[in-house]
Amino acid sequence: RAGDTVVAAATGRVAFAGRVAGRGVLVIELAGSGAPPLRTTYEPVRALVAQGDDVVAGRPVGLLEAGPFHCAGGCLHWGLRRGEAYLNPLSLLRRGPSRLLPVSGVPEP
């Protein structure tokens, strides 16, 4: 929801904190992630950090901004890039194989 705290997914340095096309955008370059470095993106957020600030994984970096959103309760768009290539940001969180859980009300095949 708007006003909820957004935390850094990984440790790094703020590469950009500002507005793009009317929305708050935050870009964090991840420490020790190679060349070109990995960058996480967060939007729409009101940044609590500034360009050049060092950030630590799990620490607050922004507040979710109000919509309009395509999702009813508001949502964070979280991305991961290396250079111009878009990657799956969930890869930063995975510690083993992914497992799908049953969805209630949907019969198993």
Side-chain angles (χ1 to χ4, degrees):
R1 293 187 178 123
D4 282 352
T5 301
V6 176
V7 300
T11 297
R13 178 166 289 157
V14 177
F16 178 82
R19 302 208 63 81
V20 175
R23 290 188 178 209
V25 175
L26 179 62
V27 180
I28 299 173
E29 206 167 86
L30 305 188
S33 62
L38 290 171
R39 292 175 290 154
T40 53
T41 59
Y42 308 80
E43 67 106 350
V45 299
R46 180 171 62 84
L48 299 175
V49 292
Q51 186 171 345
D53 286 353
D54 290 326
V55 299
V56 176
R59 297 287 172 92
V61 291
L63 300 173
L64 190 63
E65 291 184 331
F69 297 101
H70 56 269
C71 38
C75 52
L76 174 69
H77 291 261
W78 180 41
L80 177 65
R81 295 177 69 168
R82 183 181 298 280
E84 297 301 313
Y86 287 93
L87 306 170
N88 182 355
L90 295 177
S91 65
L92 295 174
L93 305 178
R94 292 196 180 131
R95 299 287 188 251
S98 297
R99 291 181 178 86
L100 298 177
L101 301 174
V103 177
S104 67
V106 177
E108 292 187 34

